């Protein structure tokens, strides 16, 4: 336990297996010190674990960048449990680990208890491609999604939460250019109940902007595919959409993750961009003719409406669509049917 790990800002305990931080706050965001702790833990081959009371919640950025990356959210109720999965935990002297026998332990009763207040959230992962030219400006697709689906443009951006800079795509672009060709991860927040992260990557085909956004709504219903379609269609007309996936899930009104079971995330809609459509070959046209998909983006992309965002059988519809895409791609390319069209899924 020597070296730089001993001096991690905010670390309450460092063991041979974990870096543990106590977080007694209402909202845990992707702060600089939390990012630094995660990076230090990763370099030292340790797991980052942060502990909160059951009244805390975490931002969408923490969920997608830390919890999906292997960090653990420990909720200290009557007994500790995993805030993401509800699995009961115990301290083994080095780190928090699942309690009980190996397998699928029953989730914590506290995690299963219905929250006092739950709202519909829409989770979006949209990936667009920009030409790798000097005049390229990134952030425009993210701004468009905020305007159309969250009620207004982003309020600000930064490298951590809370965001520190007023929203300006020119400033976002300047910042990313200073980091190129390395990828850039930025946090973004709206005036209302929306937040997320943007990844800017330099790839052989161009600059790719991936916006991962969560939007909170009043009530329990996410927008239906037909309500989302005009925004999706215009996005594909303005930008080269590589892929887009939308999910409905329960959460807090500010789109943060609660340490409770709020239902299973269910698919709402899917976009396959120009690359995926071309890989499908003639089957893409057949899907349009059959009414399974709609051509968007000047006939360069396909929109697949799936479901309501709160109906588990919609996953069967999603699976059927993906099988059809996979089979069509394999048939058109002549490669084995294990080949898949690439698109980005929410975490």
């Amino acid at each position: 336990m020597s070296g730089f790990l001993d001096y991690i800002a905010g670390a309450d305990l460092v063991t041979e297996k974990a870096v543990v931080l106590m977080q007694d706050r209402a909202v845990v965001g992707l702060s600089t010190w939390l990012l630094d702790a995660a990076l230090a833990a990763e370099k030292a081959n340790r797991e980052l674990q942060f502990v909160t009371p059951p009244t805390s919640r975490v931002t969408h950025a923490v969920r997608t960048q830390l919890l999906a990356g292997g960090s653990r959210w420990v909720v200290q109720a009557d007994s500790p449990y995993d805030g993401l999965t509800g699995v009961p935990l115990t301290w083994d002297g080095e780190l928090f680990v699942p309690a009980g026998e190996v397998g699928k332990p029953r989730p914590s009763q506290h995690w299963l208890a219905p929250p006092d207040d739950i709202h519909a959230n829409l989770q979006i992962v949209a990936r667009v491609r920009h030409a790798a030219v000097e005049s390229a400006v990134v952030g425009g697709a993210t701004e468009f999604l905020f305007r159309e689906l969250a009620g207004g443009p982003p309020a600000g951006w930064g490298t951590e939460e809370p965001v520190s800079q007023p929203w300006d795509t020119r400033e976002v672009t300047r910042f990313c250019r200073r980091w190129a060709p390395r990828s850039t991860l930025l946090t973004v927040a709206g005036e209302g109940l929306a937040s997320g992260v943007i990844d800017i990557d330099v790839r052989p085909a161009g600059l790719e902007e991936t916006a991962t956004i969560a939007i909170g709504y009043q009530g329990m219903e996410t927008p239906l595919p037909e309500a989302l379609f005009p925004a999706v269609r215009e996005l594909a007309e303005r930008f080269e959409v590589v892929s887009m996936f939308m999910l409905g899930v329960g959460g807090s009104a500010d789109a943060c993750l609660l340490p409770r079971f709020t239902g299973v995330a269910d698919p709402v809609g899917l976009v396959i961009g120009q690359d995926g459509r071309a890989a499908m070959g003639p089957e893409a046209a057949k899907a349009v003719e059959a009414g399974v998909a709609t051509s968007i983006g000047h006939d360069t992309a396909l929109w697949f409406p799936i479901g309501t965002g709160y109906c588990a059988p919609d996953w069967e519809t999603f699976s059927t669509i993906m099988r059809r895409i996979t089979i069509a791609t394999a048939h058109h390319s002549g490669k084995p049917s294990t080949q898949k069209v690439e698109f980005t899924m929410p975490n």
Side-chain angles (χ1 to χ4, degrees):
M1 299 196 305
S2 61
F4 69 98
L5 273 172
D6 294 330
Y7 305 98
I8 296 176
D12 293 282
L13 179 64
V14 178
T15 74
E16 293 298 327
K17 295 182 179 179
V19 175
V20 182
L21 300 89
M22 309 301 291
Q23 292 296 291
D24 188 5
R25 59 183 66 202
V27 178
V28 177
L30 197 66
S31 60
T32 299
W33 58 263
L34 189 58
L35 283 167
D36 289 345
L39 180 60
E42 181 182 5
K43 287 183 176 179
N45 198 28
R46 287 165 168 83
E47 182 176 302
L48 176 69
Q49 301 188 330
F50 59 93
V51 184
T52 76
T55 52
S56 297
R57 57 193 190 276
V58 304
T59 64
H60 192 59
V62 170
R63 176 176 185 164
T64 58
Q65 300 305 310
L66 294 186
L67 299 184
S71 298
R72 189 184 292 277
W73 177 18
V74 180
V75 181
Q76 187 65 64
D78 297 333
S79 57
Y81 66 92
D82 188 295
L84 185 63
T85 65
V87 170
L89 302 172
T90 186
W91 178 256
D92 72 353
E94 295 285 354
L95 77 170
F96 287 96
V97 296
E101 298 179 1
V102 177
K104 295 184 178 180
R106 179 175 173 79
S108 163
Q109 289 300 310
H110 201 287
W111 186 77
L112 291 172
D116 295 331
D117 194 21
I118 185 171
H119 297 264
N121 287 183
L122 181 67
Q123 296 181 0
I124 304 167
V125 179
R127 186 152 56 106
V128 304
R129 183 179 295 142
H130 305 277
V133 295
E134 188 65 27
S135 59
V137 176
V138 298
T142 302
E143 179 177 318
F144 176 83
L145 289 171
F146 267 78
R147 285 184 182 276
E148 295 300 313
L149 301 179
W157 66 280
T159 56
E160 70 282 323
E161 292 179 316
V163 297
S164 57
Q165 303 297 319
W167 180 256
D168 187 326
T169 54
R170 294 168 300 180
E171 291 302 318
V172 169
T173 301
R174 290 192 188 100
F175 183 86
C176 293
R177 280 178 178 160
R178 290 199 294 269
W179 282 91
R182 292 171 293 177
S183 62
T184 306
L185 174 69
L186 302 173
T187 56
V188 59
E191 293 283 4
L193 306 177
S195 64
V197 295
I198 315 172
D199 281 297
I200 305 297
D201 293 299
V202 179
R203 300 200 176 187
L207 302 174
E208 291 195 354
E209 171 185 341
T210 302
T212 305
I213 303 168
I215 304 170
Y217 294 92
Q218 297 299 320
M220 284 297 295
E221 295 185 359
T222 53
L224 296 174
E226 51 266 34
L228 295 168
F229 176 67
V232 173
R233 178 179 56 194
E234 187 171 350
L235 178 74
E237 290 173 352
R238 293 189 179 195
F239 303 92
E240 182 186 345
V241 177
V242 178
S243 65
M244 185 175 184
F245 192 45
M246 297 177 165
L247 284 169
V249 66
S252 64
D254 59 2
C256 286
L257 177 65
L258 298 167
R260 301 287 185 88
F261 177 65
T262 57
V264 177
D266 294 308
V268 175
L270 167 70
V271 174
I272 297 295
Q274 181 175 351
D275 296 347
R277 179 169 184 161
M280 287 180 65
E283 186 67 20
K286 293 180 182 178
V288 173
E289 292 172 3
V292 176
T294 301
S295 288
I296 57 175
H298 309 292
D299 296 334
T300 60
L302 294 175
W303 159 249
F304 295 86
I306 299 175
T308 61
Y310 50 88
C311 183
D314 290 335
W315 280 111
E316 297 179 11
T317 303
F318 171 79
S319 296
T320 299
I321 290 172
M322 290 309 300
R323 282 196 300 270
R324 184 169 186 171
I325 292 172
T326 301
I327 293 171
T329 302
H331 178 77
H332 184 60
S333 65
K335 296 181 179 180
S337 60
T338 53
Q339 180 178 342
K340 296 182 179 180
V341 173
E342 179 187 1
F343 74 98
T344 308
M345 293 274 287
N347 291 308

